Amino acid sequence: MMTNLSAYNNSWFKSKIGASTLKQLVWYFTNVLFFMNPLNPVSGLKVALLKLFGAKIGKGVIIKPGVNIKYPWKLNIGSHCWIGENVWIDNLEWVTIGSHVCISQGAMLLTGNHNYKKSTFDLMIAPIILDDGVWIGAKTVVCPGVTAGEHAVLTVGAVATKNMDAYGIYQGNPAVWMKKRLIG
Amino acid sequence: MMTNLSAYNNSWFKSKIGASTLKQLVWYFTNVLFFMNPLNPVSGLKVALLKLFGAKIGKGVIIKPGVNIKYPWKLNIGSHCWIGENVWIDNLEWVTIGSHVCISQGAMLLTGNHNYKKSTFDLMIAPIILDDGVWIGAKTVVCPGVTAGEHAVLTVGAVATKNMDAYGIYQGNPAVWMKKRLIG
Amino acid sequence: MMTNLSAYNNSWFKSKIGASTLKQLVWYFTNVLFFMNPLNPVSGLKVALLKLFGAKIGKGVIIKPGVNIKYPWKLNIGSHCWIGENVWIDNLEWVTIGSHVCISQGAMLLTGNHNYKKSTFDLMIAPIILDDGVWIGAKTVVCPGVTAGEHAVLTVGAVATKNMDAYGIYQGNPAVWMKKRLIG
């Protein structure tokens, strides 16, 4: 059989977005003007805006310039986390980040997928969970549904397609377990 | 021998661009202001502009924000295709996209190369062809000269350096055939 | 043990940045408005600005639109080099580029790292050196501390985590030596 994108139907998702069309529209331009736009480098203003749009964010969170966030009302960040320059949180579904988590520059968190086994190419979404102390390296991609156990590390440019064990260091595309992270 | 970029000469290419210097200049700023700039999220306007600059585009094509297109006059898109957020079509040479093709967010189509065996580092260009039903995943790269047979899939973050068989699912860097795509 | 980002302390680094807070601030906005901003495609102006902020740059250097440079006062570029579209030079530490070097579009040079073995996640920086004739391919990443010997090639999308031998062609993630580069 063949793909038929004209038969694509994601109306079920629209009721699950969790925000009115107006709220989505206002957030879209807020994201463009204050987050993606590097002319605003002030982290505190961004944290306040995220909270205003429904994100739950702890203390001491730093958000660098150029960040792109899809739906702040589906974002949970603990305390003392860093969201690096040009990080892209494409959270159609919940992204839950613990405390002391570092997401380095250019990383992408991806929660949307398509069912390529269906001719209607149905949208599929799955949450991402990053436990305390996780480090998502620069220019990496975390795929939909991935849970990274506490203090897991995804090294530069790696693509995480599966869950990551606590204190595991993962490298490559697709990412594989390399060694144990020992701290202190 | 050594590379000598001061001897680089791509004047042969300038006559093959297929547009006047003025047209190139006007397109450059149109691309920056209406395509790359996420302040314009209206897909219909972008499709109209692409056609105005010589692209052939079918029905029901959706172009998301942040897209970067080199030469619209070297772009052919069928019907019911999606060009995702921040997709980069670097089409120094023709890019021909069938119908029902999805190019996901952050993907790059690359048509330019350099001959690293020559000290003059000559420019080499090669077209990209994506047949009906192809899915180019998020944050992937498709290299110059690649043809993807119908309904081929390039998974997240993969780098396609060779042709992709119809209904083949490819993963990794460089991308390799993983399994067959079964639909319906 | 666990990561404690609230105990992170990079004050040692602040004294090693090599520029006053004011100079850093002025450069930040210069970078945003004239380098990252594709509305300014004029390479000559960018070279002049880089020199004004302390970069050492040879003759015939071309800087494409969308480039992101951290600290121009820690940047050395020889003659007849090309810095491609959307290249990201994240030079917390020195980046030294020889002559006749091509850094293709979307590549990233990364000089910062964190010590994931310490609960304080200490910042670590290491220089990058690209010798004469090196070609860093599109959408690649060069990791902190990497030296690329003369005429080494990093192919599209590869991630260089170790030094690259002169005239070696490297592919993959992490990048491995594939074959010898023969010129002429």
Side-chain angles (χ1 to χ4, degrees):
Chain A
M1 279 185 64
M2 296 160 70
T3 307
N4 180 6
L5 295 189
S6 68
Y8 179 72
N9 183 344
N10 68 345
S11 55
W12 65 272
F13 176 67
K14 290 185 178 172
S15 68
K16 294 191 85 178
I17 289 179
S20 67
T21 304
L22 177 62
K23 184 175 174 181
Q24 290 177 57
L25 198 69
V26 176
W27 169 253
Y28 179 85
F29 288 102
T30 301
N31 185 45
V32 168
L33 294 173
F34 293 94
F35 286 75
M36 297 173 73
N37 180 357
L39 283 176
N40 169 34
V42 183
S43 179
L45 174 60
K46 286 183 271 198
V47 169
L49 284 167
L50 284 174
K51 287 178 175 173
L52 191 68
F53 280 87
K56 285 170 197 121
I57 302 186
K59 293 179 190 168
V61 170
I62 293 171
I63 299 178
K64 296 280 192 145
V67 168
N68 183 359
I69 296 173
K70 189 72 178 177
Y71 297 145
W73 48 88
K74 290 193 174 184
L75 182 61
N76 246 331
I77 304 180
S79 293
H80 306 296
C81 291
W82 306 337
I83 311 297
E85 195 173 346
N86 296 343
V87 163
W88 187 352
I89 301 179
D90 200 19
N91 55 336
L92 300 174
E93 192 33 295
W94 278 91
V95 165
T96 304
I97 299 172
S99 292
H100 304 289
V101 170
C102 172
I103 304 180
S104 289
Q105 58 271 51
M108 181 180 200
L109 308 185
L110 193 63
T111 61
N113 205 340
H114 291 282
N115 188 345
Y116 59 72
K117 297 174 182 172
K118 297 259 193 182
S119 65
T120 44
F121 207 62
D122 298 347
L123 177 65
M124 300 190 298
I125 56 174
I128 286 175
I129 299 171
L130 306 178
D131 286 342
D132 291 355
V134 163
W135 181 18
I136 302 300
K139 287 276 185 176
T140 55
V141 184
V142 179
C143 290
V146 167
T147 292
E150 59 163 321
H151 295 86
V153 175
L154 187 63
T155 62
V156 177
V159 178
T161 59
K162 297 176 180 171
N163 288 349
M164 297 165 66
D165 291 341
Y167 291 91
I169 298 177
Y170 290 77
Q171 186 181 41
N173 175 4
V176 294
W177 188 93
M178 298 300 288
K179 57 181 178 180
K180 201 161 171 57
R181 179 184 186 181
L182 301 170
I183 302 178
Chain B
M1 278 184 64
M2 296 160 71
T3 307
N4 179 6
L5 297 188
S6 68
Y8 180 71
N9 182 344
N10 68 346
S11 56
W12 64 271
F13 175 68
K14 291 187 176 168
S15 68
K16 294 191 86 179
I17 290 178
S20 66
T21 304
L22 178 62
K23 184 174 175 181
Q24 291 177 57
L25 197 70
V26 176
W27 170 252
Y28 179 85
F29 288 102
T30 301
N31 185 46
V32 168
L33 294 172
F34 293 94
F35 286 74
M36 297 173 72
N37 180 358
L39 283 176
N40 169 36
V42 183
S43 179
L45 173 59
K46 285 182 270 197
V47 169
L49 284 167
L50 284 174
K51 286 178 176 172
L52 191 67
F53 279 87
K56 284 170 197 122
I57 302 185
K59 293 180 189 168
V61 170
I62 293 171
I63 298 177
K64 296 280 191 144
V67 168
N68 183 359
I69 296 173
K70 188 74 179 177
Y71 297 145
W73 49 88
K74 290 193 175 184
L75 181 62
N76 247 330
I77 304 180
S79 292
H80 306 296
C81 290
W82 305 338
I83 311 297
E85 195 173 345
N86 295 344
V87 164
W88 187 352
I89 301 180
D90 200 18
N91 57 335
L92 299 174
E93 190 36 294
W94 277 92
V95 165
T96 303
I97 300 172
S99 292
H100 305 288
V101 170
C102 172
I103 304 181
S104 290
Q105 58 271 50
M108 181 180 200
L109 308 184
L110 194 62
T111 62
N113 206 339
H114 291 284
N115 189 344
Y116 59 71
K117 297 173 182 172
K118 296 260 193 182
S119 65
T120 44
F121 207 62
D122 297 347
L123 177 65
M124 301 191 297
I125 56 175
I128 286 174
I129 299 171
L130 307 178
D131 286 343
D132 291 354
V134 163
W135 181 16
I136 302 300
K139 287 275 185 177
T140 55
V141 183
V142 179
C143 290
V146 167
T147 292
E150 58 163 322
H151 296 85
V153 175
L154 187 64
T155 62
V156 177
V159 178
T161 59
K162 295 177 180 172
N163 288 349
M164 297 165 66
D165 290 342
Y167 291 91
I169 298 177
Y170 291 77
Q171 188 180 40
N173 175 6
V176 293
W177 187 94
M178 298 299 288
K179 58 180 177 181
K180 201 162 170 57
R181 178 184 186 182
L182 301 169
I183 303 179
Chain C
M1 279 185 66
M2 297 161 70
T3 306
N4 180 6
L5 296 189
S6 68
Y8 180 72
N9 182 345
N10 67 347
S11 56
W12 65 272
F13 175 67
K14 290 185 177 170
S15 69
K16 293 192 84 178
I17 290 179
S20 67
T21 304
L22 177 63
K23 184 174 175 182
Q24 290 178 57
L25 197 71
V26 176
W27 169 251
Y28 179 85
F29 287 102
T30 302
N31 185 43
V32 168
L33 294 172
F34 293 94
F35 286 75
M36 297 173 73
N37 180 357
L39 284 176
N40 170 34
V42 182
S43 179
L45 174 60
K46 286 182 271 198
V47 169
L49 284 167
L50 284 174
K51 286 178 177 173
L52 192 67
F53 280 87
K56 283 170 198 122
I57 302 185
K59 293 180 189 169
V61 170
I62 294 171
I63 299 177
K64 297 280 191 146
V67 168
N68 183 359
I69 295 172
K70 189 73 179 178
Y71 296 145
W73 49 88
K74 289 192 175 184
L75 182 61
N76 245 331
I77 305 180
S79 294
H80 306 294
C81 291
W82 306 337
I83 311 297
E85 194 173 346
N86 296 343
V87 164
W88 188 352
I89 301 180
D90 200 19
N91 56 335
L92 300 175
E93 189 36 292
W94 276 93
V95 166
T96 304
I97 300 172
S99 292
H100 305 287
V101 170
C102 173
I103 304 180
S104 289
Q105 58 270 51
M108 182 180 199
L109 308 185
L110 194 63
T111 61
N113 206 341
H114 291 283
N115 188 346
Y116 59 72
K117 297 173 182 172
K118 295 261 193 180
S119 64
T120 44
F121 206 61
D122 297 347
L123 176 65
M124 300 190 299
I125 56 175
I128 287 176
I129 299 171
L130 307 178
D131 286 343
D132 292 353
V134 163
W135 181 17
I136 302 300
K139 288 274 186 180
T140 55
V141 183
V142 179
C143 290
V146 166
T147 292
E150 58 162 321
H151 295 87
V153 175
L154 187 64
T155 62
V156 177
V159 178
T161 58
K162 295 177 181 172
N163 287 349
M164 298 165 66
D165 290 342
Y167 290 92
I169 299 177
Y170 291 77
Q171 188 181 39
N173 176 4
V176 293
W177 188 94
M178 299 299 289
K179 57 180 178 182
K180 200 161 171 59
R181 179 184 187 182
L182 301 170
I183 303 178

